[in-house]
Amino acid sequence: MRYVLRSIFFCLCSTALFTTGAAAQCPALSISAPSDEVIAGESVTFNANIVSGDSKSAMTLSFNWSISAGTISSGQGSSVITVDTADLAGKSVTATLEIGGLPAACARTASATASVKPSVVAVKIDDFGSVNEELEWAKLDNFVIVLNNEPNAEGYIISYRGPKSPAGEAKAVNKRYIKYLVEMRSFDANRLKTIDGGIRQMPSREFWIVPMGAKPPKPSPMAVTPKPVTPKKLGSKKNT
């Protein structure tokens, strides 16, 4: 009877030691992700954290990532990945890592989620050519209304001159518009920017709203192709 009890006790102790030893080899797994929202179009990074345990040094680990949305742009097979968020505005992306090479008793997966907010971009609210003074004022008045509804935004005016217009026409138009907005509509001059857009097929103007954090608009002038140079014919000299 004592022999049987000793055998049972020995087996239980052996099992406990084996289980405890396996648990001691298991690392603590976690995934880190940005705590703040990422702007759509920017890359988001997920990083695997492996803490304590002996398996990290004693075994060769493999890393297999999967994501709920977006595209893994780099890092698959390693402990760090970057995810492209170009089409994820207003959504979230969850990255899940499965680690290979751990003992069977160890946890092998971990996940983390990052939120993606819409990108902030400049918005063109008007685009027009040469108009009479009354319509021009009406367009400027509407520009002020939109800007007043966006108190943290700036207003950009881009003017283009035509191929036959005087070189300083676009700057003169911009100056006239700013004068009207500031003096006649009492708008803050510090929130207004102007750009000489260069030459287009016809004179034109653009009004843009640029929210805080957005990139200013870029002008799109007409591509000017240099005229081909016709070589002069050399006249033959007559013998005298």
Side-chain angles (χ1 to χ4, degrees):
M1 184 67 178
R2 291 182 179 179
Y3 176 78
V4 174
L5 291 175
R6 287 178 182 176
S7 299
I8 295 173
F9 179 75
F10 175 77
C11 292
L12 290 174
C13 289
S14 299
T15 302
L17 289 173
F18 177 79
T19 304
T20 303
Q25 291 182 351
C26 293
L29 306 179
S30 64
I31 307 296
S32 60
S35 56
D36 297 329
E37 288 184 313
V38 178
I39 298 175
E42 295 182 350
S43 295
V44 57
T45 300
F46 293 93
N47 188 9
N49 304 306
I50 305 175
V51 182
S52 73
D54 300 327
S55 58
K56 183 178 178 182
S57 58
M59 300 181 182
T60 300
L61 303 181
S62 62
F63 301 85
N64 183 34
W65 294 87
S66 60
I67 54 176
S68 60
T71 304
I72 298 177
S73 54
S74 65
Q76 180 63 280
S78 69
S79 61
V80 181
I81 60 168
T82 56
V83 176
D84 183 5
T85 64
D87 300 320
L88 301 181
K91 301 179 181 179
S92 62
V93 53
T94 298
T96 301
L97 172 64
E98 181 178 0
I99 294 183
L102 294 176
C106 296
R108 301 184 182 188
T109 62
S111 300
T113 300
S115 298
V116 183
K117 63 181 178 180
S119 58
V120 183
V121 296
V123 178
K124 182 167 64 175
I125 64 167
D126 207 345
D127 187 348
F128 58 97
S130 297
V131 296
N132 60 47
E133 190 176 65
E134 185 177 355
L135 182 54
E136 196 172 62
W137 288 350
K139 288 181 174 293
L140 288 166
D141 290 343
N142 183 66
F143 191 31
V144 170
I145 292 172
V146 177
L147 282 168
N148 284 334
N149 290 331
E150 300 285 345
N152 294 322
E154 292 183 326
Y156 272 73
I157 300 172
I158 305 179
S159 292
Y160 302 87
R161 65 185 178 91
K164 297 182 180 180
S165 303
E169 183 190 61
K171 291 182 179 180
V173 170
N174 286 340
K175 185 177 180 180
R176 186 174 78 248
Y177 285 0
I178 293 296
K179 182 177 181 180
Y180 177 86
L181 293 170
V182 174
E183 295 182 3
M184 302 301 294
R185 292 293 175 256
S186 301
F187 195 77
D188 184 3
N190 293 321
R191 292 180 59 197
L192 297 171
K193 309 293 181 184
T194 62
I195 298 176
D196 182 344
I199 301 175
R200 277 188 176 175
Q201 191 64 40
M202 299 292 291
S204 61
R205 329 293 179 211
E206 295 177 357
F207 293 165
W208 291 78
I209 301 296
V210 183
M212 183 181 296
K215 294 181 180 179
K218 293 183 179 180
S220 54
M222 177 181 68
V224 179
T225 304
K227 295 182 178 180
V229 178
T230 304
K232 296 181 179 180
K233 295 182 179 180
L234 299 176
S236 58
K237 294 182 180 181
K238 296 182 179 180
N239 295 328
T240 55

